[in-house]
Amino acid sequence: MSGERHPVSRAKPGGVAARPIRRPKISRRQRREWLAAAVFIAPNMIGLLVFTLGPVVAGFLISLTQWDMLSPAQWIGLDNYRTVLHDPLIWLSLKNTLYYSVLVILVGPVVSLGLALAVDSPLRGVTVYRTIYFIPVVASSIAIAIVWKWLYQPDFGLLNALLRTVGIKPLGWLGDSQMAMPCVALVAVWQGMGYNMMIFLAGLKGIPAHLYEAAAIDGARGARRLWHITLPLLTPTLFFVLVMSTINSFQVFGEVYAMTFGGPGNATLVYVYYLWQNAFTWFKMGYGAAMAYILFVIIFVFTLLQVGLLGRRVQYEQF
Amino acid sequence: MEAGMNLYRVRRTFLRTVRHAGLSLIALTSLLPFLWMLSTSF
């Protein structure tokens, strides 16, 4: 019966004896290979379970509690999520994050694409330019933000010194509530442009040369070539850059933390900075965790919207 | 013929120079914070 090792034979309804079904035998060598594979995969799987999936589940459980990390957590169900809806600073931080995202997403990919087009040519020393444009990407974002904070400094900063040189009245930069957010966004664009440039460059290299040759024979040059060949074939790359930029911009923290602390007057209070304040300044871990889950839902919805609205317009090459 | 070739070379060199100038300017902007920080450290 069950558990027997002999081949099992099944009779068909017609009474004709069916061929015996043989269970595939696993050889010792195969078993050893599977074991080796499991051993090789295990460190990664354990890492994923302990350091990724574990915190994801723990974060959700914490979001259902009131916990200050000092006293035991109290189970409060969905209260944290209800409180979020009535917190005016949440809505302000969301508005600020959206403003920042719009600035970064509108300016960033355009600048990066321009750079990629500029360095996508057989010009002498072009690799040097590419390397220089990539340097900000490898620098620490906090270090970058501190340097930019000094550049923006109203009295001794380089930018106001340059403005004074050309006879323009110095600006408030990060101290001005109107200008603070564009200033923070500029730093993010400046730091991310090298990375996006490399992705665009890879996309440009993937466009077959024969299409440009055919276009040249038809008399297309410059802008027409860009509009009718380069941009349509670059839509998968553009789509990727757009989605990634959106996700990253919603999670902005470092620049705000190092440059403005959410000021002046909450003008740069972005969502993750407010989350961090709740969790690690006021020790409202449950509330912070609930905010993190809400952010996940917001990013998920935005990504789905992008896939739904723009995904169909992406032209994948078929040659 | 010769004049046409010379004009072509001049145009090519000019465009190449403009391109290098533009790329160098962007490179300078890209390095500006680092350079400024370096200069203040002395």
Side-chain angles (χ1 to χ4, degrees), chain A residues 115 123-124 129 132-133 136 144 147-148 150-151 158 190 193, chain B residues 16 19-20 23-24 26-27 29-34 36-37:
Chain A
L115 275 184
L123 208 65
R124 193 178 293 170
Y129 292 121
I132 291 173
Y133 302 157
I144 291 285
V147 173
W148 272 92
W150 281 102
L151 282 175
L158 180 70
W190 175 81
M193 69 183 186
Chain B
R16 205 179 283 167
R19 212 161 193 183
H20 269 294
L23 288 172
S24 303
I26 301 167
T29 317
S30 201
L31 287 179
L32 191 70
F34 299 110
W36 187 65
M37 216 53 202

Side-chain angles (χ1 to χ4, degrees), chain A residues 32-318:
Chain A
R32 220 181 304 148
E33 275 180 5
W34 284 359
L35 190 73
V39 168
F40 277 115
I41 292 168
N44 237 333
M45 287 309 288
I46 292 167
L48 183 78
L49 281 172
V50 175
F51 298 111
T52 306
L53 291 178
V56 165
V57 175
F60 182 67
L61 292 177
I62 290 170
S63 78
L64 303 173
T65 65
Q66 194 175 30
W67 185 40
D68 60 2
M69 289 200 287
L70 300 169
S71 43
Q74 282 181 313
W75 187 266
I76 55 166
L78 294 171
D79 272 7
N80 281 326
Y81 292 92
R82 278 188 212 106
T83 317
V84 165
L85 295 175
H86 301 292
D87 186 347
L89 280 181
I90 285 270
W91 296 105
L92 178 71
S93 69
L94 267 176
K95 201 182 92 184
N96 288 341
T97 309
L98 213 63
Y99 178 37
Y100 169 88
S101 299
V102 167
L103 289 175
V104 170
I105 294 161
L106 283 184
V107 181
V110 175
V111 172
S112 307
L113 180 60
L115 275 184
L117 288 168
V119 295
D120 183 37
S121 61
L123 208 65
R124 193 178 293 170
V126 80
T127 48
V128 177
Y129 292 121
R130 283 179 200 164
T131 311
I132 291 173
Y133 302 157
F134 200 74
I135 287 175
V137 180
V138 292
S140 146
S141 66
I142 293 290
I144 291 285
I146 290 169
V147 173
W148 272 92
K149 192 179 174 181
W150 281 102
L151 282 175
Y152 284 135
Q153 216 281 334
D155 299 320
F156 319 106
L158 180 70
L159 296 179
N160 270 354
L162 289 174
L163 289 182
R164 277 191 210 101
T165 315
V166 291
I168 298 173
K169 204 178 140 196
L171 297 169
W173 303 111
L174 294 172
D176 183 341
S177 58
Q178 297 281 317
M179 288 191 72
M181 192 57 99
C183 287
V184 173
L186 176 71
V187 177
V189 168
W190 175 81
Q191 202 186 0
M193 69 183 186
Y195 179 76
N196 287 338
M197 177 200 76
M198 279 297 165
I199 293 179
F200 279 129
L201 203 56
L204 287 172
K205 296 283 177 209
I207 298 175
H210 67 82
L211 293 177
Y212 289 118
E213 286 158 15
I217 292 166
D218 288 345
R221 283 173 192 283
R224 278 198 142 186
R225 241 174 53 148
L226 177 74
W227 192 251
H228 292 290
I229 297 172
T230 310
L231 285 181
L233 288 174
L234 214 58
T235 43
T237 318
L238 265 168
F239 182 61
F240 172 77
V241 168
L242 218 62
V243 170
M244 292 312 290
S245 300
T246 310
I247 292 171
N248 288 332
S249 66
F250 270 93
Q251 294 175 341
V252 59
F253 172 75
E255 287 89 348
V256 172
Y257 176 73
M259 289 201 294
T260 62
F261 298 105
N266 287 339
T268 57
L269 183 79
V270 287
Y271 192 89
V272 177
Y273 185 74
Y274 186 50
L275 186 161
W276 174 83
Q277 273 189 322
N278 270 294
F280 297 101
T281 307
W282 305 316
F283 297 110
K284 294 198 274 183
M285 296 305 287
Y287 195 66
M291 281 183 71
Y293 264 86
I294 289 169
L295 180 65
F296 162 72
V297 172
I298 292 169
I299 292 175
F300 190 67
V301 168
F302 262 87
T303 309
L304 280 183
L305 274 175
Q306 281 180 323
V307 172
L309 292 173
L310 304 171
R312 270 172 285 156
R313 290 166 191 255
V314 176
Q315 293 180 17
Y316 294 99
E317 52 184 310
Q318 291 166 338

